[in-house]
């Protein structure tokens, strides 16, 4: 079974530029998450999708961040414009999204973003 | 609001020792408690998931326990090996399949 795919793996941009990240979850997984992980901290949930609907985006800085999940499969996360404090690893995870809370999440390798 | 804490932030032990990593959480109303491993430059890998009704889970040399009443979980690693070197994160599972994460314990096993 293929895992969660993310691209690019690394990205360096200057502040005020735009950047986009792509995620392809495990086939059949209904739930998709985007996390931001700053060095030395645990992941922080940015947005959670169930199929192509948003379950929670309360911690997404909506003035600069946006995300979509077309057709309930792939997802993109965009930052426009980027700030220095956006430097972090952006992790995508997916889960089956069944009728139980007793399931784990499967993570991609992450995209490491450096904003100069 | 749930908060998850992991102490210590870093731990270095000689190969072969048994060790315990600690995780505490403030709200006992959790659905599960999960332990993950993170290797440099890689994503997170699930190690163990303890359901709220369970007290412990075991996988190979790993054993995780859960005490909801005290808000604590421990990850026990037996006979540590250099390959166990990684950052270990715990996460408390809440509603809507969401996880609240600790900051992790960076473990170094010295050969």
């Amino acid at each position: 079974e293929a895992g969660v795919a993310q691209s690019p793996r690394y990205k360096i941009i200057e502040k005020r530029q735009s950047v986009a990240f792509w995620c392809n979850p495990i086939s059949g997984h209904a739930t998709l998450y985007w996390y931001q992980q700053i060095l030395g901290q645990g992941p922080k949930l940015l947005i959670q999708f169930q199929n192509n609907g948003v379950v929670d985006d309360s911690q997404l800085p909506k003035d600069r961040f946006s995300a979509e999940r077309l057709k309930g499969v792939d997802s993109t996360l965009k930052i426009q414009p980027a700030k220095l404090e956006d430097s972090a690893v952006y992790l995508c995870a997916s889960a089956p999204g069944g009728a139980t809370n007793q399931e784990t999440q499967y993570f991609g390798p992450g995209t490491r973003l450096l904003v100069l | 609001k749930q908060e998850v804490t992991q102490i210590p932030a870093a731990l270095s032990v000689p190969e072969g020792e048994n060790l315990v990593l600690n995780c505490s959480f403030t709200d006992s109303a959790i659905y599960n408690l999960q332990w993950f491993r993170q290797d440099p430059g890689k994503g997170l890998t699930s190690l163990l998931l303890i359901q709220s009704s369970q007290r412990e889970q075991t996988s190979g040399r790993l054993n995780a326990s859960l005490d909801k009443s005290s808000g604590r979980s421990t990850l026990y690693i037996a006979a540590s090996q250099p390959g166990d070197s990684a950052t270990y994160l715990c996460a408390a599972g809440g509603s809507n399949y969401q996880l609240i994460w600790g900051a992790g314990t960076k473990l170094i096993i010295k050969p």
Side-chain angles (χ1 to χ4, degrees):
Chain A
E1 177 182 79
V4 177
Q6 289 188 248
S7 67
R9 293 295 310 276
Y10 306 92
K11 191 74 176 178
I12 300 175
I13 62 173
E14 296 188 350
K15 59 183 179 182
R16 290 188 289 274
Q17 286 187 324
S18 301
V19 64
F21 311 129
W22 173 83
C23 173
N24 181 236
I26 292 173
S27 177
H29 279 194
T31 311
L32 186 147
Y33 308 82
W34 281 103
Y35 290 94
Q36 179 193 60
Q37 186 177 24
I38 293 172
L39 187 64
Q41 299 181 17
K44 168 190 168 185
L45 179 68
L46 293 176
I47 189 167
Q48 176 187 352
F49 292 95
Q50 183 76 8
N51 297 308
N52 60 351
V54 175
V55 174
D56 186 348
D57 63 357
S58 58
Q59 298 192 87
L60 187 73
K62 298 180 185 64
D63 57 335
R64 297 185 300 107
F65 286 64
S66 64
E68 60 181 6
R69 189 182 184 194
L70 299 177
K71 300 181 181 179
V73 182
D74 292 7
S75 178
T76 56
L77 176 69
K78 297 179 181 178
I79 308 175
Q80 180 181 10
K83 293 185 175 181
L84 297 177
E85 57 261 35
D86 297 333
S87 295
V89 176
Y90 291 84
L91 295 165
C92 178
S94 70
T100 172
N101 282 302
Q102 308 303 339
E103 62 182 27
T104 192
Q105 299 176 18
Y106 298 83
F107 284 79
T111 296
R112 188 173 298 274
L113 173 67
L114 179 59
V115 182
L116 302 175
Chain B
K1 178 184 175 184
Q2 179 73 274
E3 293 183 3
V4 179
T5 304
Q6 292 185 252
I7 296 174
L11 181 64
S12 180
V13 301
E15 179 180 2
E17 282 199 2
N18 303 323
L19 59 99
V20 174
L21 305 181
N22 297 299
C23 171
S24 61
F25 47 95
T26 55
D27 186 351
S28 62
I30 60 173
Y31 286 88
N32 58 61
L33 192 291
Q34 301 188 39
W35 284 91
F36 289 81
R37 168 180 174 147
Q38 187 169 34
D39 293 281
K42 297 184 180 180
L44 293 101
T45 302
S46 177
L47 297 173
L48 290 165
L49 184 156
I50 312 173
Q51 298 181 23
S52 59
S53 59
Q54 296 176 325
R55 297 283 292 183
E56 64 178 348
Q57 280 286 339
T58 298
S59 176
R61 295 182 293 108
L62 306 180
N63 176 276
S65 67
L66 174 63
D67 184 345
K68 287 177 56 178
S69 62
S70 66
R72 295 183 64 183
S73 176
T74 61
L75 179 66
Y76 174 83
I77 303 177
S80 59
Q81 303 171 359
D84 295 330
S85 297
T87 297
Y88 291 81
L89 295 97
C90 69
S95 60
N96 281 335
Y97 312 102
Q98 292 187 4
L99 296 174
I100 306 300
W101 296 81
T105 295
K106 183 176 182 179
L107 176 64
I108 297 174
I109 306 299
K110 297 175 290 186

